[in-house]
Amino acid sequence: MASSSSSAWSAHLGMLLWALLVGFSFPAVGLLTEGLPPLLLTSLRFAIAAMAVLPLVLRAPGVVPTRSGLVLYAWMGLCLAGFFGTMFWAAHRVTALSMSTLFVSVPLLAYVLGRWLGVEHPARALLALLALGALGAMGLAWAQAGGDVTQMQFGVGEAAFFVGCIASALYPVLSKFGLLRGWVSPHAGVRTLWSLILGGVLIGMLGLVFNAPAALTRMTWGDLALVVYLGLFSSGVTFWLQQRATAILTPAAVTAYGYLVPFVSMLLLFWAEPERISLVWLPGSTLVVIAIVLLLQRDVRSRSKIACAK
């Protein structure tokens, strides 16, 4: 039991690191030269991450997937392609506030999809915590928009991005589904590798259709260094952390750490522009922190009850 508790804390700490890495990736992306094809850059990031992961998992169990596993990995890759594809397509058609508000639905969607596929148990307390975190994340998005609620709207672009949010929520659910049935490798690195490979291929195919491949020739050495960093850390490490946590936590609990990403972005904004610090950020950030702390406490209590029952 001590080992199980240690693994759970390790998973939670890993997801905290995940939130930091994802939060730091947004400023890094902003440093890239304008006009580079985003989908093809994402595919390149995935390829770099996959090449880094491959030597680490060559002797891991399940590195060669079964037919069922390959089909499931393909669906997981499709989820990644769906999310990144709709995100980049909607980026110039949807306001940042609308996208941020829609994205907070991912943990709740993961819970609903997890219940549908039988990898989540009925949990009203978890639903309440997810709603609390979503409210906090929406508060941060509202503060970042300067309190201008007129930026919030719902049209074709928002509908497309919401489909991408569903795909993002389905990714950890499918991972958990495959783990429980033994269809995918128990090794987090192997699951990460196949997700990167198939997701990268599908995103690359979308990039060839919707991006201009010739624009890649405008990449500088600085751009290449940033893409390598993003591939290794913002793709490779974050996917591995998420896959490792998925084996221990529920999909809803894993995706709930996404609420911390705008919190990290807020701290980076304060560091770069101290004059932006104001009380308008306090309600949202407070709710996000409370939701994550309560999520940790809930997990500790649940594991204590299981230990007492045994």
mmCIF file of all heavy atoms in Angstrom, residues 255-302:
data_model
loop_
_atom_site.group_PDB
_atom_site.id
_atom_site.type_symbol
_atom_site.label_atom_id
_atom_site.label_comp_id
_atom_site.label_asym_id
_atom_site.label_seq_id
_atom_site.Cartn_x
_atom_site.Cartn_y
_atom_site.Cartn_z
ATOM 1 N N THR A 255 -6.782 15.320 -16.405
ATOM 2 C CA THR A 255 -7.059 16.510 -17.215
ATOM 3 C C THR A 255 -7.354 17.731 -16.348
ATOM 4 O O THR A 255 -7.234 18.867 -16.821
ATOM 5 C CB THR A 255 -8.250 16.263 -18.166
ATOM 6 O OG1 THR A 255 -9.360 15.760 -17.404
ATOM 7 C CG2 THR A 255 -7.884 15.239 -19.238
ATOM 8 N N ALA A 256 -7.734 17.527 -15.076
ATOM 9 C CA ALA A 256 -8.014 18.662 -14.189
ATOM 10 C C ALA A 256 -6.789 19.544 -13.994
ATOM 11 O O ALA A 256 -6.921 20.744 -13.714
ATOM 12 C CB ALA A 256 -8.520 18.166 -12.832
ATOM 13 N N TYR A 257 -5.601 18.978 -14.160
ATOM 14 C CA TYR A 257 -4.392 19.782 -14.009
ATOM 15 C C TYR A 257 -4.258 20.822 -15.126
ATOM 16 O O TYR A 257 -3.430 21.727 -15.037
ATOM 17 C CB TYR A 257 -3.154 18.884 -13.946
ATOM 18 C CG TYR A 257 -2.950 18.316 -12.572
ATOM 19 C CD1 TYR A 257 -3.521 17.097 -12.206
ATOM 20 C CD2 TYR A 257 -2.223 19.005 -11.607
ATOM 21 C CE1 TYR A 257 -3.365 16.574 -10.930
ATOM 22 C CE2 TYR A 257 -2.055 18.494 -10.324
ATOM 23 C CZ TYR A 257 -2.632 17.282 -9.994
ATOM 24 O OH TYR A 257 -2.480 16.782 -8.715
ATOM 25 N N GLY A 258 -5.062 20.684 -16.168
ATOM 26 C CA GLY A 258 -5.093 21.710 -17.204
ATOM 27 C C GLY A 258 -5.564 23.054 -16.680
ATOM 28 O O GLY A 258 -5.262 24.098 -17.265
ATOM 29 N N TYR A 259 -6.303 23.032 -15.558
ATOM 30 C CA TYR A 259 -6.733 24.293 -14.948
ATOM 31 C C TYR A 259 -5.548 25.118 -14.459
ATOM 32 O O TYR A 259 -5.659 26.342 -14.310
ATOM 33 C CB TYR A 259 -7.656 24.017 -13.757
ATOM 34 C CG TYR A 259 -8.971 23.361 -14.108
ATOM 35 C CD1 TYR A 259 -9.570 22.454 -13.242
ATOM 36 C CD2 TYR A 259 -9.633 23.656 -15.293
ATOM 37 C CE1 TYR A 259 -10.781 21.851 -13.540
ATOM 38 C CE2 TYR A 259 -10.841 23.055 -15.606
ATOM 39 C CZ TYR A 259 -11.414 22.151 -14.721
ATOM 40 O OH TYR A 259 -12.615 21.561 -15.032
ATOM 41 N N LEU A 260 -4.420 24.453 -14.199
ATOM 42 C CA LEU A 260 -3.247 25.169 -13.699
ATOM 43 C C LEU A 260 -2.477 25.888 -14.809
ATOM 44 O O LEU A 260 -1.666 26.769 -14.518
ATOM 45 C CB LEU A 260 -2.294 24.201 -12.987
ATOM 46 C CG LEU A 260 -2.653 23.809 -11.547
ATOM 47 C CD1 LEU A 260 -1.666 22.776 -11.019
ATOM 48 C CD2 LEU A 260 -2.661 25.040 -10.643
ATOM 49 N N VAL A 261 -2.710 25.494 -16.057
ATOM 50 C CA VAL A 261 -1.956 26.098 -17.162
ATOM 51 C C VAL A 261 -2.183 27.609 -17.244
ATOM 52 O O VAL A 261 -1.210 28.378 -17.319
ATOM 53 C CB VAL A 261 -2.287 25.402 -18.493
ATOM 54 C CG1 VAL A 261 -1.610 26.132 -19.660
ATOM 55 C CG2 VAL A 261 -1.822 23.943 -18.451
ATOM 56 N N PRO A 262 -3.453 28.100 -17.222
ATOM 57 C CA PRO A 262 -3.613 29.558 -17.235
ATOM 58 C C PRO A 262 -3.065 30.217 -15.973
ATOM 59 O O PRO A 262 -2.655 31.389 -16.009
ATOM 60 C CB PRO A 262 -5.138 29.752 -17.338
ATOM 61 C CG PRO A 262 -5.734 28.454 -16.917
ATOM 62 C CD PRO A 262 -4.749 27.404 -17.316
ATOM 63 N N PHE A 263 -3.011 29.467 -14.864
ATOM 64 C CA PHE A 263 -2.427 30.004 -13.632
ATOM 65 C C PHE A 263 -0.928 30.237 -13.825
ATOM 66 O O PHE A 263 -0.381 31.272 -13.437
ATOM 67 C CB PHE A 263 -2.666 29.028 -12.478
ATOM 68 C CG PHE A 263 -2.145 29.503 -11.146
ATOM 69 C CD1 PHE A 263 -2.870 30.391 -10.376
ATOM 70 C CD2 PHE A 263 -0.922 29.052 -10.662
ATOM 71 C CE1 PHE A 263 -2.395 30.831 -9.137
ATOM 72 C CE2 PHE A 263 -0.432 29.489 -9.443
ATOM 73 C CZ PHE A 263 -1.178 30.386 -8.680
ATOM 74 N N VAL A 264 -0.252 29.263 -14.466
ATOM 75 C CA VAL A 264 1.178 29.410 -14.764
ATOM 76 C C VAL A 264 1.395 30.560 -15.734
ATOM 77 O O VAL A 264 2.316 31.367 -15.576
ATOM 78 C CB VAL A 264 1.745 28.092 -15.346
ATOM 79 C CG1 VAL A 264 3.183 28.287 -15.821
ATOM 80 C CG2 VAL A 264 1.681 26.978 -14.310
ATOM 81 N N SER A 265 0.514 30.659 -16.744
ATOM 82 C CA SER A 265 0.620 31.764 -17.710
ATOM 83 C C SER A 265 0.458 33.112 -17.008
ATOM 84 O O SER A 265 1.135 34.083 -17.364
ATOM 85 C CB SER A 265 -0.447 31.602 -18.797
ATOM 86 O OG SER A 265 -0.251 30.403 -19.530
ATOM 87 N N MET A 266 -0.425 33.161 -16.007
ATOM 88 C CA MET A 266 -0.616 34.394 -15.242
ATOM 89 C C MET A 266 0.659 34.779 -14.503
ATOM 90 O O MET A 266 1.073 35.946 -14.515
ATOM 91 C CB MET A 266 -1.751 34.207 -14.235
ATOM 92 C CG MET A 266 -2.011 35.393 -13.327
ATOM 93 S SD MET A 266 -3.067 34.987 -11.903
ATOM 94 C CE MET A 266 -1.930 33.986 -10.912
ATOM 95 N N LEU A 267 1.322 33.796 -13.870
ATOM 96 C CA LEU A 267 2.560 34.082 -13.145
ATOM 97 C C LEU A 267 3.657 34.568 -14.092
ATOM 98 O O LEU A 267 4.416 35.490 -13.763
ATOM 99 C CB LEU A 267 3.025 32.833 -12.403
ATOM 100 C CG LEU A 267 2.110 32.333 -11.271
ATOM 101 C CD1 LEU A 267 2.687 31.071 -10.642
ATOM 102 C CD2 LEU A 267 1.915 33.403 -10.211
ATOM 103 N N LEU A 268 3.739 33.975 -15.278
ATOM 104 C CA LEU A 268 4.725 34.420 -16.270
ATOM 105 C C LEU A 268 4.424 35.842 -16.735
ATOM 106 O O LEU A 268 5.339 36.642 -16.950
ATOM 107 C CB LEU A 268 4.726 33.461 -17.468
ATOM 108 C CG LEU A 268 5.299 32.067 -17.215
ATOM 109 C CD1 LEU A 268 5.094 31.179 -18.438
ATOM 110 C CD2 LEU A 268 6.781 32.152 -16.878
ATOM 111 N N LEU A 269 3.130 36.146 -16.887
ATOM 112 C CA LEU A 269 2.733 37.493 -17.289
ATOM 113 C C LEU A 269 3.133 38.513 -16.220
ATOM 114 O O LEU A 269 3.650 39.587 -16.527
ATOM 115 C CB LEU A 269 1.221 37.540 -17.517
ATOM 116 C CG LEU A 269 0.631 38.911 -17.871
ATOM 117 C CD1 LEU A 269 1.151 39.377 -19.230
ATOM 118 C CD2 LEU A 269 -0.894 38.848 -17.869
ATOM 119 N N PHE A 270 2.936 38.158 -14.956
ATOM 120 C CA PHE A 270 3.302 39.051 -13.858
ATOM 121 C C PHE A 270 4.810 39.280 -13.820
ATOM 122 O O PHE A 270 5.275 40.373 -13.505
ATOM 123 C CB PHE A 270 2.838 38.482 -12.521
ATOM 124 C CG PHE A 270 1.344 38.532 -12.321
ATOM 125 C CD1 PHE A 270 0.757 37.885 -11.246
ATOM 126 C CD2 PHE A 270 0.537 39.230 -13.197
ATOM 127 C CE1 PHE A 270 -0.611 37.936 -11.049
ATOM 128 C CE2 PHE A 270 -0.849 39.279 -13.012
ATOM 129 C CZ PHE A 270 -1.415 38.631 -11.936
ATOM 130 N N TRP A 271 5.561 38.229 -14.132
ATOM 131 C CA TRP A 271 7.015 38.351 -14.124
ATOM 132 C C TRP A 271 7.491 39.280 -15.247
ATOM 133 O O TRP A 271 8.402 40.085 -15.055
ATOM 134 C CB TRP A 271 7.652 36.976 -14.275
ATOM 135 C CG TRP A 271 9.146 37.006 -14.295
ATOM 136 C CD1 TRP A 271 9.989 37.169 -13.232
ATOM 137 C CD2 TRP A 271 9.992 36.869 -15.444
ATOM 138 N NE1 TRP A 271 11.299 37.151 -13.644
ATOM 139 C CE2 TRP A 271 11.344 36.967 -14.998
ATOM 140 C CE3 TRP A 271 9.753 36.657 -16.799
ATOM 141 C CZ2 TRP A 271 12.417 36.868 -15.869
ATOM 142 C CZ3 TRP A 271 10.829 36.560 -17.672
ATOM 143 C CH2 TRP A 271 12.148 36.666 -17.197
ATOM 144 N N ALA A 272 6.848 39.161 -16.416
ATOM 145 C CA ALA A 272 7.247 39.981 -17.566
ATOM 146 C C ALA A 272 6.656 41.388 -17.499
ATOM 147 O O ALA A 272 7.286 42.351 -17.925
ATOM 148 C CB ALA A 272 6.819 39.305 -18.868
ATOM 149 N N GLU A 273 5.439 41.500 -16.965
ATOM 150 C CA GLU A 273 4.758 42.794 -16.907
ATOM 151 C C GLU A 273 4.163 42.997 -15.513
ATOM 152 O O GLU A 273 2.959 42.808 -15.310
ATOM 153 C CB GLU A 273 3.650 42.861 -17.964
ATOM 154 C CG GLU A 273 4.129 42.631 -19.393
ATOM 155 C CD GLU A 273 2.976 42.620 -20.382
ATOM 156 O OE1 GLU A 273 2.012 43.388 -20.190
ATOM 157 O OE2 GLU A 273 3.031 41.821 -21.335
ATOM 158 N N PRO A 274 4.988 43.372 -14.535
ATOM 159 C CA PRO A 274 4.499 43.536 -13.154
ATOM 160 C C PRO A 274 3.341 44.518 -13.031
ATOM 161 O O PRO A 274 2.533 44.401 -12.102
ATOM 162 C CB PRO A 274 5.739 44.051 -12.411
ATOM 163 C CG PRO A 274 6.903 43.644 -13.257
ATOM 164 C CD PRO A 274 6.416 43.672 -14.665
ATOM 165 N N GLU A 275 3.252 45.450 -13.967
ATOM 166 C CA GLU A 275 2.178 46.446 -13.892
ATOM 167 C C GLU A 275 0.798 45.830 -14.119
ATOM 168 O O GLU A 275 -0.239 46.455 -13.819
ATOM 169 C CB GLU A 275 2.409 47.559 -14.912
ATOM 170 C CG GLU A 275 2.300 47.158 -16.380
ATOM 171 C CD GLU A 275 3.588 46.555 -16.939
ATOM 172 O OE1 GLU A 275 4.525 46.323 -16.140
ATOM 173 O OE2 GLU A 275 3.639 46.329 -18.152
ATOM 174 N N ARG A 276 0.747 44.589 -14.640
ATOM 175 C CA ARG A 276 -0.533 43.914 -14.884
ATOM 176 C C ARG A 276 -1.114 43.293 -13.613
ATOM 177 O O ARG A 276 -2.253 42.818 -13.617
ATOM 178 C CB ARG A 276 -0.350 42.820 -15.950
ATOM 179 C CG ARG A 276 0.006 43.302 -17.339
ATOM 180 C CD ARG A 276 -1.181 43.924 -18.049
ATOM 181 N NE ARG A 276 -2.270 42.978 -18.243
ATOM 182 C CZ ARG A 276 -2.368 42.134 -19.273
ATOM 183 N NH1 ARG A 276 -1.423 42.126 -20.200
ATOM 184 N NH2 ARG A 276 -3.401 41.330 -19.395
ATOM 185 N N ILE A 277 -0.345 43.265 -12.538
ATOM 186 C CA ILE A 277 -0.825 42.677 -11.285
ATOM 187 C C ILE A 277 -1.987 43.502 -10.744
ATOM 188 O O ILE A 277 -1.880 44.710 -10.583
ATOM 189 C CB ILE A 277 0.300 42.611 -10.229
ATOM 190 C CG1 ILE A 277 1.443 41.712 -10.724
ATOM 191 C CG2 ILE A 277 -0.235 42.081 -8.897
ATOM 192 C CD1 ILE A 277 2.633 41.666 -9.779
ATOM 193 N N SER A 278 -3.101 42.828 -10.497
ATOM 194 C CA SER A 278 -4.264 43.510 -9.915
ATOM 195 C C SER A 278 -5.173 42.467 -9.271
ATOM 196 O O SER A 278 -5.012 41.256 -9.477
ATOM 197 C CB SER A 278 -5.036 44.291 -10.983
ATOM 198 O OG SER A 278 -5.703 43.411 -11.860
ATOM 199 N N LEU A 279 -6.152 42.935 -8.509
ATOM 200 C CA LEU A 279 -7.071 42.044 -7.799
ATOM 201 C C LEU A 279 -8.007 41.291 -8.739
ATOM 202 O O LEU A 279 -8.651 40.325 -8.327
ATOM 203 C CB LEU A 279 -7.892 42.850 -6.789
ATOM 204 C CG LEU A 279 -7.123 43.414 -5.589
ATOM 205 C CD1 LEU A 279 -8.038 44.248 -4.716
ATOM 206 C CD2 LEU A 279 -6.500 42.275 -4.779
ATOM 207 N N VAL A 280 -8.081 41.716 -10.018
ATOM 208 C CA VAL A 280 -8.980 41.055 -10.961
ATOM 209 C C VAL A 280 -8.574 39.593 -11.188
ATOM 210 O O VAL A 280 -9.400 38.753 -11.565
ATOM 211 C CB VAL A 280 -9.019 41.828 -12.300
ATOM 212 C CG1 VAL A 280 -7.725 41.633 -13.085
ATOM 213 C CG2 VAL A 280 -10.211 41.385 -13.143
ATOM 214 N N TRP A 281 -7.298 39.280 -10.936
ATOM 215 C CA TRP A 281 -6.807 37.915 -11.111
ATOM 216 C C TRP A 281 -7.070 37.035 -9.887
ATOM 217 O O TRP A 281 -6.956 35.816 -9.972
ATOM 218 C CB TRP A 281 -5.297 37.927 -11.375
ATOM 219 C CG TRP A 281 -4.896 38.662 -12.602
ATOM 220 C CD1 TRP A 281 -4.608 39.985 -12.707
ATOM 221 C CD2 TRP A 281 -4.722 38.111 -13.920
ATOM 222 N NE1 TRP A 281 -4.263 40.310 -13.999
ATOM 223 C CE2 TRP A 281 -4.321 39.170 -14.764
ATOM 224 C CE3 TRP A 281 -4.849 36.833 -14.464
ATOM 225 C CZ2 TRP A 281 -4.057 38.994 -16.109
ATOM 226 C CZ3 TRP A 281 -4.578 36.648 -15.810
ATOM 227 C CH2 TRP A 281 -4.198 37.720 -16.615
ATOM 228 N N LEU A 282 -7.379 37.639 -8.746
ATOM 229 C CA LEU A 282 -7.450 36.902 -7.487
ATOM 230 C C LEU A 282 -8.555 35.843 -7.433
ATOM 231 O O LEU A 282 -8.293 34.708 -7.023
ATOM 232 C CB LEU A 282 -7.605 37.887 -6.320
ATOM 233 C CG LEU A 282 -7.573 37.272 -4.915
ATOM 234 C CD1 LEU A 282 -6.251 36.549 -4.679
ATOM 235 C CD2 LEU A 282 -7.789 38.360 -3.857
ATOM 236 N N PRO A 283 -9.804 36.165 -7.813
ATOM 237 C CA PRO A 283 -10.863 35.147 -7.697
ATOM 238 C C PRO A 283 -10.568 33.868 -8.482
ATOM 239 O O PRO A 283 -10.664 32.760 -7.948
ATOM 240 C CB PRO A 283 -12.105 35.868 -8.243
ATOM 241 C CG PRO A 283 -11.810 37.317 -8.061
ATOM 242 C CD PRO A 283 -10.347 37.466 -8.287
ATOM 243 N N GLY A 284 -10.185 34.028 -9.759
ATOM 244 C CA GLY A 284 -9.918 32.847 -10.586
ATOM 245 C C GLY A 284 -8.750 32.030 -10.086
ATOM 246 O O GLY A 284 -8.828 30.804 -9.990
ATOM 247 N N SER A 285 -7.642 32.689 -9.755
ATOM 248 C CA SER A 285 -6.456 31.963 -9.296
ATOM 249 C C SER A 285 -6.722 31.260 -7.970
ATOM 250 O O SER A 285 -6.265 30.133 -7.749
ATOM 251 C CB SER A 285 -5.263 32.922 -9.162
ATOM 252 O OG SER A 285 -5.558 33.972 -8.261
ATOM 253 N N THR A 286 -7.489 31.902 -7.081
ATOM 254 C CA THR A 286 -7.815 31.280 -5.793
ATOM 255 C C THR A 286 -8.645 30.016 -5.985
ATOM 256 O O THR A 286 -8.372 28.980 -5.365
ATOM 257 C CB THR A 286 -8.585 32.277 -4.898
ATOM 258 O OG1 THR A 286 -7.788 33.439 -4.689
ATOM 259 C CG2 THR A 286 -8.907 31.641 -3.547
ATOM 260 N N LEU A 287 -9.641 30.086 -6.861
ATOM 261 C CA LEU A 287 -10.494 28.917 -7.107
ATOM 262 C C LEU A 287 -9.704 27.768 -7.726
ATOM 263 O O LEU A 287 -9.926 26.597 -7.386
ATOM 264 C CB LEU A 287 -11.662 29.311 -8.016
ATOM 265 C CG LEU A 287 -12.719 30.232 -7.401
ATOM 266 C CD1 LEU A 287 -13.795 30.574 -8.427
ATOM 267 C CD2 LEU A 287 -13.358 29.583 -6.182
ATOM 268 N N VAL A 288 -8.800 28.079 -8.648
ATOM 269 C CA VAL A 288 -7.983 27.029 -9.273
ATOM 270 C C VAL A 288 -7.112 26.332 -8.237
ATOM 271 O O VAL A 288 -7.044 25.094 -8.188
ATOM 272 C CB VAL A 288 -7.111 27.627 -10.405
ATOM 273 C CG1 VAL A 288 -6.030 26.635 -10.821
ATOM 274 C CG2 VAL A 288 -7.973 27.986 -11.606
ATOM 275 N N VAL A 289 -6.440 27.110 -7.389
ATOM 276 C CA VAL A 289 -5.567 26.520 -6.369
ATOM 277 C C VAL A 289 -6.385 25.672 -5.387
ATOM 278 O O VAL A 289 -5.986 24.554 -5.026
ATOM 279 C CB VAL A 289 -4.792 27.624 -5.615
ATOM 280 C CG1 VAL A 289 -4.051 27.036 -4.419
ATOM 281 C CG2 VAL A 289 -3.813 28.313 -6.555
ATOM 282 N N ILE A 290 -7.538 26.177 -4.962
ATOM 283 C CA ILE A 290 -8.388 25.425 -4.032
ATOM 284 C C ILE A 290 -8.831 24.107 -4.662
ATOM 285 O O ILE A 290 -8.812 23.049 -4.011
ATOM 286 C CB ILE A 290 -9.614 26.271 -3.625
ATOM 287 C CG1 ILE A 290 -9.186 27.431 -2.726
ATOM 288 C CG2 ILE A 290 -10.649 25.402 -2.901
ATOM 289 C CD1 ILE A 290 -10.315 28.385 -2.388
ATOM 290 N N ALA A 291 -9.223 24.156 -5.941
ATOM 291 C CA ALA A 291 -9.686 22.944 -6.626
ATOM 292 C C ALA A 291 -8.582 21.891 -6.695
ATOM 293 O O ALA A 291 -8.831 20.697 -6.449
ATOM 294 C CB ALA A 291 -10.171 23.293 -8.029
ATOM 295 N N ILE A 292 -7.352 22.299 -7.010
ATOM 296 C CA ILE A 292 -6.244 21.347 -7.111
ATOM 297 C C ILE A 292 -5.898 20.777 -5.732
ATOM 298 O O ILE A 292 -5.676 19.566 -5.580
ATOM 299 C CB ILE A 292 -5.008 22.014 -7.745
ATOM 300 C CG1 ILE A 292 -5.307 22.422 -9.191
ATOM 301 C CG2 ILE A 292 -3.817 21.065 -7.703
ATOM 302 C CD1 ILE A 292 -5.674 21.274 -10.111
ATOM 303 N N VAL A 293 -5.882 21.622 -4.697
ATOM 304 C CA VAL A 293 -5.585 21.150 -3.336
ATOM 305 C C VAL A 293 -6.643 20.154 -2.876
ATOM 306 O O VAL A 293 -6.327 19.089 -2.310
ATOM 307 C CB VAL A 293 -5.495 22.342 -2.360
ATOM 308 C CG1 VAL A 293 -5.432 21.849 -0.908
ATOM 309 C CG2 VAL A 293 -4.270 23.195 -2.665
ATOM 310 N N LEU A 294 -7.917 20.468 -3.125
ATOM 311 C CA LEU A 294 -8.993 19.555 -2.740
ATOM 312 C C LEU A 294 -8.931 18.259 -3.532
ATOM 313 O O LEU A 294 -9.273 17.183 -3.020
ATOM 314 C CB LEU A 294 -10.352 20.233 -2.938
ATOM 315 C CG LEU A 294 -10.661 21.395 -1.982
ATOM 316 C CD1 LEU A 294 -12.012 22.024 -2.334
ATOM 317 C CD2 LEU A 294 -10.674 20.902 -0.542
ATOM 318 N N LEU A 295 -8.501 18.340 -4.785
ATOM 319 C CA LEU A 295 -8.332 17.140 -5.600
ATOM 320 C C LEU A 295 -7.279 16.223 -4.989
ATOM 321 O O LEU A 295 -7.470 14.995 -4.909
ATOM 322 C CB LEU A 295 -7.939 17.526 -7.028
ATOM 323 C CG LEU A 295 -7.731 16.381 -8.019
ATOM 324 C CD1 LEU A 295 -9.057 15.693 -8.312
ATOM 325 C CD2 LEU A 295 -7.122 16.914 -9.318
ATOM 326 N N LEU A 296 -6.174 16.808 -4.528
ATOM 327 C CA LEU A 296 -5.131 16.030 -3.870
ATOM 328 C C LEU A 296 -5.650 15.406 -2.575
ATOM 329 O O LEU A 296 -5.412 14.222 -2.294
ATOM 330 C CB LEU A 296 -3.924 16.914 -3.579
ATOM 331 C CG LEU A 296 -3.088 17.362 -4.778
ATOM 332 C CD1 LEU A 296 -2.099 18.440 -4.369
ATOM 333 C CD2 LEU A 296 -2.346 16.180 -5.384
ATOM 334 N N GLN A 297 -6.374 16.186 -1.772
ATOM 335 C CA GLN A 297 -6.916 15.672 -0.518
ATOM 336 C C GLN A 297 -7.908 14.548 -0.767
ATOM 337 O O GLN A 297 -7.940 13.558 -0.036
ATOM 338 C CB GLN A 297 -7.583 16.798 0.263
ATOM 339 C CG GLN A 297 -6.606 17.811 0.846
ATOM 340 C CD GLN A 297 -7.314 18.867 1.676
ATOM 341 O OE1 GLN A 297 -8.530 19.041 1.589
ATOM 342 N NE2 GLN A 297 -6.546 19.589 2.493
ATOM 343 N N ARG A 298 -8.727 14.698 -1.814
ATOM 344 C CA ARG A 298 -9.702 13.664 -2.145
ATOM 345 C C ARG A 298 -9.010 12.356 -2.497
ATOM 346 O O ARG A 298 -9.443 11.272 -2.073
ATOM 347 C CB ARG A 298 -10.575 14.126 -3.315
ATOM 348 C CG ARG A 298 -11.579 13.093 -3.793
ATOM 349 C CD ARG A 298 -12.370 13.599 -4.992
ATOM 350 N NE ARG A 298 -13.285 12.583 -5.459
ATOM 351 C CZ ARG A 298 -12.956 11.608 -6.308
ATOM 352 N NH1 ARG A 298 -11.712 11.545 -6.784
ATOM 353 N NH2 ARG A 298 -13.848 10.704 -6.687
ATOM 354 N N ASP A 299 -7.931 12.452 -3.252
ATOM 355 C CA ASP A 299 -7.205 11.249 -3.637
ATOM 356 C C ASP A 299 -6.582 10.567 -2.414
ATOM 357 O O ASP A 299 -6.614 9.340 -2.292
ATOM 358 C CB ASP A 299 -6.116 11.593 -4.655
ATOM 359 C CG ASP A 299 -5.454 10.362 -5.238
ATOM 360 O OD1 ASP A 299 -6.112 9.658 -6.016
ATOM 361 O OD2 ASP A 299 -4.295 10.090 -4.892
ATOM 362 N N VAL A 300 -6.037 11.367 -1.491
ATOM 363 C CA VAL A 300 -5.444 10.816 -0.272
ATOM 364 C C VAL A 300 -6.499 10.110 0.560
ATOM 365 O O VAL A 300 -6.286 8.994 1.063
ATOM 366 C CB VAL A 300 -4.764 11.937 0.547
ATOM 367 C CG1 VAL A 300 -4.350 11.407 1.924
ATOM 368 C CG2 VAL A 300 -3.550 12.467 -0.189
ATOM 369 N N ARG A 301 -7.683 10.745 0.731
ATOM 370 C CA ARG A 301 -8.761 10.134 1.517
ATOM 371 C C ARG A 301 -9.245 8.838 0.876
ATOM 372 O O ARG A 301 -9.501 7.845 1.560
ATOM 373 C CB ARG A 301 -9.923 11.112 1.657
ATOM 374 C CG ARG A 301 -9.658 12.268 2.615
ATOM 375 C CD ARG A 301 -10.965 12.940 3.007
ATOM 376 N NE ARG A 301 -11.657 13.467 1.844
ATOM 377 C CZ ARG A 301 -11.503 14.686 1.359
ATOM 378 N NH1 ARG A 301 -10.661 15.520 1.952
ATOM 379 N NH2 ARG A 301 -12.172 15.101 0.308
ATOM 380 N N SER A 302 -9.373 8.840 -0.445
ATOM 381 C CA SER A 302 -9.846 7.639 -1.149
ATOM 382 C C SER A 302 -8.896 6.475 -0.942
ATOM 383 O O SER A 302 -9.327 5.344 -0.682
ATOM 384 C CB SER A 302 -10.000 7.929 -2.648
ATOM 385 O OG SER A 302 -10.958 8.937 -2.873
#
